[in-house]
Amino acid sequence: SISHDKQFFFLGCCRKGEINDGHPVCKLLCSVERSSVGCTKIKLDLMDEHTINTMVSETLSLLPRLTRSLSSVIYHKTKGNPLFVSHLMLSLSKEGLLRPSLSRRRWEWEMKKIEDRELPDDVAMFLNNSIRELPDGVQSSLCILSCFGASADISLIKTLERALQKNIRDDLDVAVAK
């Protein structure tokens, strides 16, 4: 049977007071709600230091008392923004500042280097910096694909690869791995 359910997934992130009813995102969401599509809004508030410590403790499978100092630094660097917290932890892991120790059989971190690490003031800048760290060819492929919207099917990618004589799929693999 054919399903007649309408489904739409939208993920947005903004700070309180950044957008008003006239903002295009608000207009889009109002339009979706009027079109009889079920809509669930989830509001994520900033996390307090205790909540971040719980998250870090559970993520690293360590007791909260062991992660408290790391969590405090993460809290102060991210101001409790949930998206920022997860991206920072991933970034610290990729940089080797937060890593599993086989000899100690637990996670360890370089507190001084983490404390000294500079962070941009907002998530968009943080993500932008992450993209700038990618190799030039990968950035080029992402830029090309961004001209075609939020997603691209494999036939479009293959057509672009032939036309540009560029291996876009390998570049996407690199971007995803980073």
Side-chain angles (χ1 to χ4, degrees):
S1 79
I2 298 174
S3 173
H4 294 286
D5 292 340
K6 296 178 182 179
Q7 296 183 2
F8 175 76
F9 178 76
F10 177 80
L11 173 66
C13 180
C14 67
R15 284 175 274 214
K16 186 176 182 178
E18 268 189 349
I19 61 174
N20 57 30
D21 291 341
H23 192 279
V25 171
C26 286
K27 289 179 180 178
L28 170 69
L29 292 175
C30 287
S31 173
V32 169
E33 288 173 342
R34 284 192 306 270
S35 66
S36 72
V37 174
C39 188
T40 303
K41 293 180 184 177
I42 301 172
K43 179 183 173 198
L44 290 179
D45 288 323
L46 298 178
M47 296 189 298
D48 61 26
E49 198 165 340
H50 174 75
T51 303
I52 290 176
N53 190 42
T54 301
M55 178 181 153
V56 171
S57 169
E58 290 177 3
T59 300
L60 302 181
S61 298
L62 292 171
L63 295 172
R65 65 179 171 80
L66 298 174
T67 59
R68 195 166 288 120
S69 61
L70 175 62
S71 299
S72 178
V73 171
I74 290 172
Y75 171 75
H76 286 78
K77 288 194 168 291
T78 63
K79 299 176 182 77
N81 181 313
L83 184 59
F84 229 166
V85 170
S86 62
H87 280 285
L88 176 58
M89 288 188 66
L90 184 60
S91 176
L92 293 175
S93 177
K94 286 181 179 179
E95 293 170 21
L97 299 178
L98 173 64
R99 63 189 171 279
S101 168
L102 296 178
S103 62
R104 295 179 70 196
R105 295 175 46 194
R106 61 167 264 194
W107 286 85
E108 61 184 19
W109 49 89
E110 296 187 41
M111 185 61 80
K112 180 70 176 128
K113 288 183 180 179
I114 293 171
E115 288 172 339
D116 293 343
R117 192 173 185 280
E118 301 259 341
L119 283 180
D121 289 334
D122 64 36
V123 175
M125 187 60 78
F126 186 70
L127 295 174
N128 188 40
N129 289 348
S130 298
I131 291 171
R132 288 180 188 218
E133 291 174 2
L134 294 171
D136 290 342
V138 174
Q139 289 183 47
S140 172
S141 291
L142 292 174
C143 183
I144 291 165
L145 284 173
S146 72
C147 296
F148 296 92
S151 64
D153 64 22
I154 192 66
S155 63
L156 171 63
I157 293 172
K158 286 179 179 179
T159 301
L160 289 170
E161 285 179 331
R162 282 190 303 275
L164 301 173
Q165 297 180 358
K166 179 174 180 52
N167 195 332
I168 295 173
R169 286 175 284 181
D170 285 350
D171 288 341
L172 291 177
D173 287 341
V174 170
V176 169
K178 299 272 184 185

